[in-house]
Amino acid sequence: MALTDDQAPAQKQRPKPSLRRLGLSGKLLLLTIPLVMIAGLLIYVPAIANFRMNRLNDRLAAANTAALVLDAAPSGLVPDSLARQILTSIGARAVAIKLGQQRRLLASADLPAAIDHDVDMRTMTVWSAIVDAFEIMLEHGDQTIRVVGAAPGQAQFIEVVIDEKPLRQAMYRFSRNVLVVALLIAGLTAGLVYLALHYLFVRPMRRLTASLVGFHENPESAARIIVPSQRGDEIGVAERELSDMQRDLVSMLHQKSRLAALGLAVSKINHDLRNLLASSQLLSDQLASVPDPRVQRFAPKLLRSLERAIAFCQSTLSYGRAQEAAPDRRVIMVEPAVAEVRESAGLATDVSITWISAIERGLTIDADPDQLFRVLLNLVRNATQALESRTASDGGAQQIRITGRREGTVAIIEVSDTGPGVPAKAREHLFEAFQTSGRPGGSGLGLAIAAELIRAHGGHIHLVEGTIGATFRISIPDRPVELLSVRSERARA
């Protein structure tokens, strides 16, 4: 049964080789070779021009020597065979000099009918030397060149006629030698540059890349964190920054995993705890009907605590995420809330810890009463635990002090103790989850929860510096009130 185009299985195409898929070492090698060749070409251009000029100057120097010999002999006494031998030895066809207004041909052999090129070494420029050199190399045949240069003695200049072909062949040999040397230098330089760059840059970059790939495969493993080297350059900085980033990510992922596990556990516990608290509430309702005065005194507080616990469990299950519900703010009295916190913390009957409440008379605060209760209870319990951690030899009074005042539209509550204070190491992450628990069994969530609840009110909580023990200050501003609504309420009243 034939498959249609839509039904045909998609075949995985093999990636085509390209320069983009080459490693950094291969790219460096491919880049180094042409750059070295370009540098060799830039050196070769003036070198070939200089080689031609040197060869022509050598011919002129040899011609000057021959001119001295020929000019010293009496006229007509130099045999033609000797003149030919002299011209052959210097690689020339003719030698002539100019004295005053007279040009004198000292020797000649097989002069051509016409001269193809004239080269005046006295007025030669760099550009013309380069152009003439490449013109000679691109020509064919056996042309002749007349070379004019300075002459010793009283002569104005000397002329020598030479063949172009031997010069061209010498230039070809020079070019071939330069090409071979350039290739050797390019290969050697490319190899050395490759090894140097591979050792200094490619290997560290591969190490960084391998660390990134390995860390991506298992980002929660501390064994995948790169160990930075002692290099002081940019690669060393990159290694150290990568190591710090990986450590932060591992710590963050461990914290997230712990939070996820804790959230799942809390959800399971709350599900069953809510049912248990509901049963306890039914028993408490029956307990409220007991005529005992002491029972009648504590029963409403017990019912209120159970209702608050059930509501908190219900809100946790309803939201199902690690964030608090929006505060249900209202204006409440601070003194009753502080008294309830004292009784819930068990400090009303604890004579070992002195409780001091310095709340302004009639102080009110615009806050969610349940959330404010949780914040103050966390702070008071932390203060109690700090006082209990003190040894008998520490001495001094054990006090917990709560003060409250108003500064304009901001209500300020301070909770302080005379304990050992907050360690300097813990202050950097004081309000972060799982960072500040210093006692066995502690979760490190109390201050984090308190900070989150206060921020939800638009307020701020911080540790006051320079106090005995630890002092936490809570600042909660009042909500802005619309003027029209206030006027309407007053009018209705």
Side-chain angles (χ1 to χ4, degrees):
M1 182 175 179
L3 294 174
T4 61
D5 293 341
D6 295 336
Q7 296 173 339
Q11 296 182 354
K12 197 173 183 179
Q13 296 181 355
R14 297 182 63 182
K16 297 181 180 180
S18 62
L19 290 178
R20 293 183 179 180
R21 298 186 180 275
L22 285 177
L24 186 59
S25 301
K27 290 181 180 179
L28 287 174
L29 184 61
L30 293 179
L31 182 63
T32 303
I33 292 177
L35 290 179
V36 174
M37 295 301 296
I38 291 174
L41 180 61
L42 296 177
I43 296 174
Y44 167 75
V45 171
I48 190 66
N50 186 64
F51 175 81
R52 171 178 168 272
M53 292 181 63
N54 289 336
R55 290 298 292 264
L56 296 179
N57 286 326
D58 291 343
R59 294 292 177 270
L60 288 174
N64 281 323
T65 303
L68 293 176
V69 175
L70 296 173
D71 189 48
S75 179
L77 294 181
V78 178
D80 292 339
S81 59
L82 180 59
R84 288 178 179 273
Q85 290 179 2
I86 293 175
L87 293 175
T88 302
S89 64
I90 64 175
R93 290 194 177 189
V95 176
I97 61 174
K98 183 178 182 183
L99 294 170
Q101 299 298 324
Q102 181 182 4
R103 297 179 63 183
R104 180 180 174 188
L105 183 61
L106 299 179
S108 64
D110 302 329
L111 279 175
I115 302 298
D116 299 302
H117 301 287
D118 287 326
V119 178
D120 193 345
M121 301 298 294
R122 299 171 298 176
T123 60
M124 181 70 66
T125 62
V126 176
W127 178 251
S128 61
I130 294 175
V131 173
D132 292 345
F134 283 97
E135 285 182 353
I136 291 177
M137 294 184 65
L138 295 176
E139 288 181 352
H140 300 281
D142 190 10
Q143 289 85 7
T144 55
I145 304 174
R146 180 173 60 193
V147 184
V148 180
Q154 299 179 353
Q156 296 180 359
F157 58 83
I158 186 171
E159 297 175 308
V160 58
V161 178
I162 62 175
D163 292 327
E164 185 181 273
K165 186 176 180 179
L167 177 60
R168 186 186 304 116
Q169 292 176 349
M171 294 174 68
Y172 284 158
R173 289 191 298 270
F174 176 80
S175 301
R176 183 178 65 251
N177 295 335
V178 169
L179 178 60
V180 172
V181 173
L183 290 176
L184 292 176
I185 294 176
L188 181 60
T189 304
L192 294 177
V193 171
Y194 172 80
L195 293 176
L197 294 179
H198 180 79
Y199 179 77
L200 293 176
F201 300 105
V202 177
R203 284 180 58 188
M205 291 301 296
R206 285 182 177 175
R207 184 166 173 264
L208 287 174
T209 305
S211 177
L212 289 173
V213 173
F215 188 79
H216 180 264
E217 293 176 354
N218 188 7
E220 295 187 5
S221 175
R224 301 297 180 94
I225 298 176
I226 187 173
V227 179
S229 62
Q230 301 299 324
R231 298 179 57 149
D233 54 5
E234 289 78 1
I235 293 181
V237 174
E239 290 177 347
R240 289 188 290 273
E241 292 296 328
L242 177 60
S243 178
D244 295 340
M245 182 188 68
Q246 289 176 338
R247 293 183 187 277
D248 293 341
L249 285 176
V250 169
S251 177
M252 186 181 301
L253 289 174
H254 286 171
Q255 183 175 348
K256 296 295 183 183
S257 299
R258 186 176 178 184
L259 283 173
L262 180 62
L264 180 60
V266 168
S267 297
K268 292 179 179 179
I269 293 172
N270 280 339
H271 181 272
D272 297 332
L273 184 61
R274 182 186 57 171
N275 297 329
L276 296 176
L277 291 174
S279 301
S280 300
Q281 188 178 28
L282 294 177
L283 296 176
S284 300
D285 293 338
Q286 298 177 5
L287 186 64
S289 61
V290 177
D292 190 338
R294 296 183 62 185
V295 173
Q296 292 296 325
R297 178 184 174 187
F298 291 105
K301 297 180 180 179
L302 178 60
L303 290 174
R304 176 59 180 160
S305 297
L306 290 174
E307 289 174 357
R308 185 182 290 116
I310 293 173
F312 178 69
C313 293
Q314 181 63 39
S315 64
T316 303
L317 292 175
S318 299
Y319 284 94
R321 55 183 181 267
Q323 70 179 37
E324 299 290 342
D328 182 15
R329 301 182 66 172
R330 67 192 75 166
V331 179
I332 59 174
M333 301 293 294
V334 175
E335 284 183 318
V338 171
E340 186 178 6
V341 168
R342 180 187 182 188
E343 293 181 357
S344 298
L347 297 177
T349 59
D350 190 351
V351 296
S352 63
I353 298 178
T354 303
W355 177 273
I356 300 176
S357 178
I359 308 295
E360 289 183 355
R361 185 180 301 273
L363 177 63
T364 60
I365 188 171
D366 186 7
D368 186 315
D370 291 336
Q371 293 187 0
L372 180 63
F373 174 83
R374 292 172 59 192
V375 171
L376 294 177
L377 185 59
N378 277 325
L379 295 178
V380 169
R381 283 180 175 173
N382 287 344
T384 303
Q385 294 164 5
L387 293 175
E388 292 175 351
S389 65
R390 297 177 58 185
T391 61
S393 60
D394 291 340
Q398 292 188 339
Q399 295 180 355
I400 295 179
R401 181 183 181 90
I402 296 185
T403 62
R405 65 183 185 276
R406 176 169 288 277
E407 295 182 358
T409 60
V410 179
I412 298 177
I413 301 176
E414 291 184 356
V415 179
S416 59
D417 60 73
T418 57
V422 180
K425 184 178 180 180
R427 298 189 180 191
E428 185 177 355
H429 306 283
L430 191 59
F431 297 100
E432 296 181 13
F434 310 123
Q435 298 291 333
T436 58
S437 178
R439 60 183 179 88
S443 63
L445 289 172
L447 291 178
I449 293 174
E452 182 180 356
L453 295 176
I454 295 301
R455 284 195 298 268
H457 286 76
H460 181 65
I461 180 173
H462 67 279
L463 178 67
V464 180
E465 301 290 343
T467 61
I468 299 176
T471 300
F472 289 91
R473 179 177 296 167
I474 301 171
S475 303
I476 298 180
D478 296 340
R479 288 171 296 173
V481 180
E482 295 184 1
L483 183 60
L484 293 178
S485 63
V486 175
R487 288 178 176 175
S488 61
E489 291 180 0
R490 290 182 177 177
R492 286 195 300 270

